[in-house]
Amino acid sequence: MSKQIDLKDAKAGMWVEFGMEAWTSNDGTDFPSGSFKGELVNKDPFTVFFNGAEYFGVDGKTVSDTINHDSFLKLFFVDTKSGKVVMNRHVSRIRLYESKPEAATEDDGERITDITKVTVKDTVVLKSGNRYTAVNVRPYCEDGQTLYLRAEEFGALDGWWAYDDDFQYAVHRTFDKFGWPLRTGFYKDNAAQVWHFDAKQNNLMRVLTDDGSPAQSTQSPVYGYGRFKRLADEQNLWPLTETSLVEAL
């Protein structure tokens, strides 16, 4: 699996994925809105000598076939002295990888074949091939019905206790497909701030700022997915990664 890279450590040839709003550059190039991905380009590396900044982006063809192939879409630049990253204000949700990631599959995550090790929010695959979410577990039950399942993908509100004989395997994930945590614990964002996620309440609360000091807020400190997504898209806080207070301090 390709390793995710901090933007300040960017190098040409890495793989970048990002979102962008429609905008027009100073040279009149119209860039479309959408989600894009491609190989990272280091444009005009000699500018480092003159202004101490290294510019990274993608070829124009990455975002549209109608754009001149020689065009360059600047995504961000890195101050070579301070390491500070400055984003193109039209770009959001940017992720940088060492190389092109392998295609994600429904079974990305830890595969579990021991039914007693299944936990709440794991994806459970029955022998029929159907996939469900575990919403309750009884690892030491003796009546042959360990898992309470629900078809959450289809918006089902009710579930049932499945028979253990129907169990094939489960997949344990830390994040859902949107990068939102599934497990209670501490998570670090792309700006090195630390958050605590409460799986029961399904929300985040900021606990440490980027310099390791306690977070303070004049607004509600609790962020559900929608509120956090707006903040993360604006401030380039994606992705969240697992951490601990010991590692963060």
Side-chain angles (χ1 to χ4, degrees), residues 147-176:
L147 307 176
Y148 189 81
L149 305 179
R150 181 183 297 157
E152 291 192 341
E153 182 178 351
F154 301 102
L157 299 177
D158 298 322
W160 77 101
W161 288 101
Y163 288 104
D164 292 355
D165 287 344
D166 293 331
F167 175 79
Q168 183 177 179
Y169 66 91
V171 179
H172 180 88
R173 298 183 182 86
T174 303
F175 300 94
D176 66 14

Side-chain angles (χ1 to χ4, degrees), residues 65-220:
D65 289 331
T66 62
I67 292 177
N68 187 300
H69 183 71
D70 294 329
S71 64
F72 173 71
L73 169 58
K74 183 177 72 177
L75 299 178
F76 60 93
F77 72 81
V78 181
D79 186 300
T80 54
K81 292 183 179 180
S82 67
K84 181 179 180 182
V85 176
V86 179
M87 296 286 301
N88 178 335
R89 62 188 179 90
H90 304 288
V91 173
S92 63
R93 306 188 308 279
I94 187 167
R95 297 189 183 191
L96 184 64
Y97 298 92
E98 199 169 40
S99 58
K100 183 177 180 179
E102 296 178 1
T105 70
E106 290 184 314
D107 285 349
D108 277 352
E110 178 188 357
R111 190 174 175 121
I112 300 169
T113 56
D114 183 347
I115 195 171
T116 65
K117 294 183 179 179
V118 177
T119 59
V120 171
K121 292 195 176 182
D122 283 348
T123 297
V124 175
V125 182
L126 300 183
K127 291 178 180 177
S128 64
N130 292 331
R131 312 172 72 88
Y132 303 94
T133 300
V135 294
N136 197 358
V137 297
R138 299 185 297 183
Y140 303 107
C141 80
E142 297 180 354
D143 64 0
Q145 292 178 297
T146 301
L147 307 176
Y148 189 81
L149 305 179
R150 181 183 297 157
E152 291 192 341
E153 182 178 351
F154 301 102
L157 299 177
D158 298 322
W160 77 101
W161 288 101
Y163 288 104
D164 292 355
D165 287 344
D166 293 331
F167 175 79
Q168 183 177 179
Y169 66 91
V171 179
H172 180 88
R173 298 183 182 86
T174 303
F175 300 94
D176 66 14
K177 62 183 179 181
F178 302 107
W180 183 248
L182 295 172
R183 317 286 169 184
T184 294
F186 293 97
Y187 297 84
K188 182 180 290 186
D189 64 27
N190 196 44
Q193 302 174 113
V194 176
W195 302 73
H196 179 262
F197 181 72
D198 184 330
K200 187 174 182 179
Q201 299 298 324
N202 197 34
N203 58 41
L204 284 166
M205 183 171 68
R206 183 163 28 205
V207 294
L208 296 176
T209 63
D210 57 358
D211 62 3
S213 59
Q216 299 180 1
S217 176
T218 57
Q219 302 178 356
S220 170

